[in-house]
């Protein structure tokens, strides 16, 4: 595990920004108990050191017409580094793939795909996925209900003495 040098204020900053990335520096400073200048310096350091990668809006899938979520298990044909790398690159280029992981078990990759409907998934499957020569097998699992998605990362493993706990549900 890499060395992580975060104090309690850094953790409060990260927690607050995960909850609301649109906080002004003044609002953030008030929440974490700093004046604005030191707060901004800490945020810039967290960005520079890679703890904060980016800021973005999380859209409601149904509101933008993406009503179907599919979890796709993919097995690589003829296991090789080139095939795995080629598949990673192909999946990374598909905007419908919102998350993808190399996994252990019966599948080699697990991709989360969002599309408007079943017909759109069928097109993606037949016109894009099944045309990739490095794919040996595909199994599709359709989400019936989204229970939790786009959650903040848990930071409890980084707690230091004297830091406030994150709020529970």
């Amino acid at each position: 595990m890499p060395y992580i040098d975060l104090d309690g204020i850094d953790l409060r900053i990260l927690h607050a920004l995960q909850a609301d990335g649109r906080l002004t520096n003044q609002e953030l400073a008030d929440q974490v108990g700093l004046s604005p200048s030191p707060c901004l310096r800490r945020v810039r350091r967290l960005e520079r050191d890679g703890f904060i990668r980016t800021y973005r809006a999380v859209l409601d899938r149904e509101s933008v017409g993406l009503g179907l979520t599919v979890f796709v298990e993919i097995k690589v044909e003829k296991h090789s580094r080139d095939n795995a790398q080629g598949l990673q690159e192909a999946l990374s280029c598909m905007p419908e793939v919102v998350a993808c992981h190399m996994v252990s078990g019966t599948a080699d990759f697990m991709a989360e795909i969002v599309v408007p409907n079943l017909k759109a998934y069928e097109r993606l499957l037949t016109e894009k996925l099944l045309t990739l020569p490095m794919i040996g097998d595909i199994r599709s699992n359709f989400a019936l209900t989204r229970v939790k998605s786009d959650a903040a990362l848990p930071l409890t493993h980084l707690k230091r003495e004297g830091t406030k706990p994150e709020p529970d549900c």
Side-chain angles (χ1 to χ4, degrees):
M1 184 165 171
Y3 176 71
I4 300 172
D5 187 24
L6 299 173
D7 63 17
I9 294 172
D10 292 330
L11 293 174
R12 288 196 303 272
I13 289 171
L14 293 173
H15 179 74
L17 289 175
Q18 282 195 103
D20 184 357
R22 292 186 62 169
L23 288 173
T24 67
N25 185 56
Q26 181 66 58
E27 292 168 333
L28 180 60
D30 290 344
Q31 278 193 30
V32 302
L34 286 177
S35 60
S37 292
C39 183
L40 184 59
R41 281 194 297 274
R42 282 178 178 257
V43 170
R44 296 292 183 244
R45 179 181 53 80
L46 291 167
E47 291 169 347
R48 182 191 70 235
D49 291 351
F51 291 99
I52 299 172
R53 287 193 351 224
T54 191
Y55 298 90
R56 65 186 178 116
V58 178
L59 307 180
D60 181 76
R61 293 174 183 193
E62 284 80 19
S63 293
V64 296
L66 296 170
L68 183 63
T69 300
V70 187
F71 295 94
V72 180
E73 299 174 21
I74 303 170
K75 279 191 76 75
V76 175
E77 179 73 24
K78 299 177 187 163
H79 283 99
S80 73
R81 182 175 294 159
D82 289 342
N83 278 350
Q85 183 63 37
L87 183 56
Q88 289 178 52
E89 290 169 7
L91 293 170
S92 293
C93 291
M94 294 180 192
E96 300 89 351
V97 177
V98 296
C100 186
H101 303 272
M102 183 182 280
V103 296
S104 63
T106 57
D108 298 309
F109 291 89
M110 177 71 73
E112 181 179 0
I113 294 175
V114 293
V115 289
N117 52 42
L118 188 57
K119 194 69 174 165
Y121 178 64
E122 180 186 1
R123 272 192 311 277
L124 176 74
L125 181 66
T126 58
E127 295 173 12
K128 289 185 181 180
L129 292 173
L130 292 176
T131 65
L132 297 172
M134 69 286 287
I135 290 183
D137 188 36
I138 293 179
R139 297 195 187 270
S140 304
N141 298 283
F142 298 93
L144 302 176
T145 301
R146 184 172 37 260
V147 175
K148 185 175 182 180
S149 174
D150 304 314
L153 295 178
L155 301 177
T156 53
H157 66 288
L158 299 174
K159 291 273 182 261
R160 300 228 178 164
E161 292 298 319
T163 59
K164 294 183 200 173
E166 293 177 15
D168 291 329
C169 291

